[in-house]
Amino acid sequence: MRKIQISVGEYYHLYNRGNDKQLIFLDSADKARFLFLILYFQSNITFDKPGRQVSYFIKNKTFNLSQKITKQIQDERMVELINFTFMPNHFHLTMREVKEGGISYYMQRVLNSYTKYFNAKYKKSGHLFQGPYQVVHVEDNEQLLHLSAYIHRNAREIKKYKNKEDQYPWSSFHDYINENRWGGLLETTIIFNQFSNHKQYKDFVDTSGTKL
């Protein structure tokens, strides 16, 4: 049983890494698959062939789903995605619980689905992730802002993206300082509305991301 109580309306930092620190993303298709899951599993809608969506994304940098589906997810969502980043052997998400039990249900669906996909693709078995996902309650607005910066600075661990985190394709940083690619499936306003413009938020991330 988790010691932390997850409550409707509250924000949480969710993260996990590969079992024994193994890589959990081996190519762009893996990251695209995980991106699809975290975006489109926010409600309990099911999808028959997500692999087709991943193939479409690899070619077009977007998913091929109608606005009707997107709106239905927003209307029926159990959780709200605030920001994210995927690194080779771990991930970070900030989520808000919208309906009771939403985060637990969402994370179970996302991680189980991704593990099943990964093990089938790479002919593996057993646990992909290092135990249950970790949860930290965001206590106040200051923590929420600095968590956002921390998550968006993660790409600094990759030499190619050091000081170029906004160019890292597997993070929501791009969506905060440019156009939000995912519309209502990525709720940026709770963070972004506290800044005057995109540059001010980028400067905040550049200078404040280490404080949590």
Side-chain angles (χ1 to χ4, degrees), residues 52-64 182:
R52 291 183 178 178
Q53 292 297 327
V54 171
S55 297
Y56 188 89
F57 180 90
I58 296 298
K59 294 178 181 178
N60 301 283
K61 305 305 179 186
T62 189
F63 296 110
N64 186 29
W182 313 114

Side-chain angles (χ1 to χ4, degrees), residues 10 28 37 43 46 56 62 75 82 94 97 106 114 117 122 125 147 150 163 175 184 186 193 205-206 209 211:
E10 294 294 301
S28 293
L37 297 177
S43 75
T46 58
Y56 188 89
T62 189
D75 291 344
I82 310 301
T94 303
E97 173 109 326
Y106 170 81
Y114 186 75
Y117 152 83
Y122 297 108
S125 61
L147 172 60
Y150 169 78
N163 299 319
D175 305 293
L186 179 69
N193 283 359
V205 172
D206 288 341
K211 182 180 177 181

Side-chain angles (χ1 to χ4, degrees), residues 61-130:
K61 305 305 179 186
T62 189
F63 296 110
N64 186 29
L65 286 169
S66 68
Q67 288 296 317
K68 181 180 178 180
I69 291 293
T70 299
K71 186 176 187 307
Q72 185 180 354
I73 292 170
Q74 292 175 242
D75 291 344
E76 300 175 6
R77 71 188 345 150
M78 302 182 71
V79 295
E80 192 173 74
L81 178 64
I82 310 301
N83 47 54
F84 64 86
T85 195
F86 314 150
M87 301 295 286
N89 72 345
H90 67 278
F91 68 84
H92 295 276
L93 311 173
T94 303
M95 308 291 305
R96 184 174 74 92
E97 173 109 326
V98 174
K99 296 180 181 179
E100 187 173 352
I103 284 178
S104 176
Y105 176 74
Y106 170 81
M107 291 301 291
Q108 182 181 40
R109 283 187 76 203
V110 167
L111 299 186
N112 285 352
S113 179
Y114 186 75
T115 298
K116 182 177 179 180
Y117 152 83
F118 186 93
N119 285 349
K121 179 177 178 179
Y122 297 108
K123 296 179 171 56
K124 295 180 178 291
S125 61
H127 298 292
L128 174 61
F129 294 99
Q130 185 176 291

Side-chain angles (χ1 to χ4, degrees), residues 151-162:
I151 286 176
H152 287 151
R153 285 166 61 101
N154 249 243
R156 290 192 174 195
E157 297 177 17
I158 302 173
K159 185 176 181 180
K160 177 181 177 181
Y161 291 102
K162 186 172 178 61

